[in-house]
Amino acid sequence: MQIELLIKVYSNAEQTLDAIAAKFADDLKDLDMKLGIGISKNKWVTVDADGDDAEFAIHFLKEKYGTPVYEPVAGKKYRGYIQSIKEDKIVVDIGKKISITASGLKNLGTGSPEQVATRFGLIPYMPVKVEILNTNEGEQVRFTGQQADKLWEWKKASTDRIIVNSVTRSQLKSVLKKTGHSRDIYGTERLGIMEHCVICRETTDGPGIVAEIGPKLNADMGVIRSEK
């Protein structure tokens, strides 16, 4: 049994697969089966399962992580990764690449897609949830209400947050410790297997942390500056 999962491999492939294997081993530790993990031509994680509990394992992984969608339908909500950020659109990869233009970003305020992305710390390969709507002008893609609410919650919080992609949780924690910045944060929130949100303390400057840890991490980073 083989499936594609909605987990994107976009850098550090060997390290990413090791992290995924460790996470799956923890997810499925009580099951009688063997997993083979690989990468599809579209850079999604593939999983082969064999053994008495293989069918259950595949179903569990599909439910937890989702699968790429190549033919999205209007009226549905999908999970995906930001593929790229351009002046006139934010491209999201859900299996098929779909674009959020300025008209689909009104629930995040005014400005071009590039300006909105900067305001909310959006960066490539950040996991997001989107929906496709039928409008008078045709189909429109936007972030789901839940996703928009989360971004506003971060923006209106009393502290800065830092989005860090393409590193493991242990790597991130190690660099924060080595640079002496563990004391400057409340902790990290897992957004994906290789994607994280660092929650700064009230007196901590997010861009300052990025300047310190950036050279020590092979990672993409974005900052959500607190409005308070």
Side-chain angles (χ1 to χ4, degrees):
M1 300 179 67
Q2 184 184 76
I3 56 166
E4 273 187 317
L5 293 177
L6 194 74
I7 303 173
K8 198 75 173 180
V9 180
Y10 48 91
S11 67
N12 305 324
E14 184 176 349
Q15 175 182 275
T16 300
L17 291 180
D18 286 345
I20 291 167
K23 187 69 175 68
F24 286 0
D26 184 59
D27 287 340
L28 306 169
K29 58 187 175 185
D30 296 324
L31 299 185
D32 180 17
M33 50 88 230
K34 292 182 179 179
L35 285 183
I37 302 172
I39 307 172
S40 74
K41 64 179 182 180
N42 294 315
K43 302 299 182 181
W44 300 108
V45 167
T46 61
V47 176
D48 289 288
D50 183 48
D52 291 344
D53 293 325
E55 186 174 349
F56 178 86
I58 290 292
H59 179 73
F60 174 86
L61 293 173
K62 285 174 67 175
E63 285 294 311
K64 181 167 184 176
Y65 297 101
T67 56
V69 175
Y70 295 102
E71 295 182 8
V73 177
K76 298 287 187 178
K77 298 177 182 180
Y78 301 99
R79 287 184 285 171
Y81 291 78
I82 292 176
Q83 176 73 28
S84 60
I85 295 167
K86 303 181 180 180
E87 185 177 354
D88 61 339
K89 62 186 176 182
I90 296 173
V91 181
V92 178
D93 189 354
I94 63 172
K96 179 180 180 179
K97 294 177 179 63
I98 56 179
S99 298
I100 307 176
T101 60
S103 62
L105 290 168
K106 291 178 181 178
N107 55 356
L108 292 177
T110 59
S112 69
E114 195 170 46
Q115 289 170 330
V116 170
T118 299
R119 185 185 309 141
F120 288 94
L122 305 180
I123 56 175
Y125 300 107
M126 178 178 169
V128 292
K129 296 177 181 178
V130 298
E131 60 183 328
I132 301 175
L133 304 175
N134 274 320
T135 70
N136 293 333
E137 291 76 33
E139 288 186 356
Q140 181 191 82
V141 182
R142 71 178 185 184
F143 292 119
T144 64
Q146 182 185 37
Q147 182 71 64
D149 287 348
K150 186 171 189 177
L151 293 172
W152 276 116
E153 179 187 325
W154 289 351
K155 186 66 178 171
K156 294 179 179 179
S158 59
T159 67
D160 290 355
R161 291 177 185 246
I162 304 166
I163 306 299
V164 184
N165 290 347
S166 74
V167 297
T168 65
R169 189 181 183 90
S170 60
Q171 283 178 315
L172 177 57
K173 291 175 71 175
S174 175
V175 168
L176 286 167
K177 184 176 180 180
K178 286 178 181 177
T179 55
H181 287 299
S182 293
R183 63 179 181 271
D184 297 320
I185 68 169
Y186 283 122
T188 60
E189 176 185 347
R190 185 188 289 276
L191 303 180
I193 292 178
M194 301 289 284
E195 299 85 28
H196 318 275
C197 178
V198 178
I199 306 165
C200 299
R201 291 185 179 274
E202 283 80 356
T203 56
T204 301
D205 178 63
I209 296 286
V210 169
E212 289 282 332
I213 69 174
K216 297 175 173 59
L217 283 173
N218 181 21
D220 296 313
M221 288 184 277
V223 179
I224 305 103
R225 298 301 304 269
S226 168
E227 288 187 340
K228 295 186 178 180

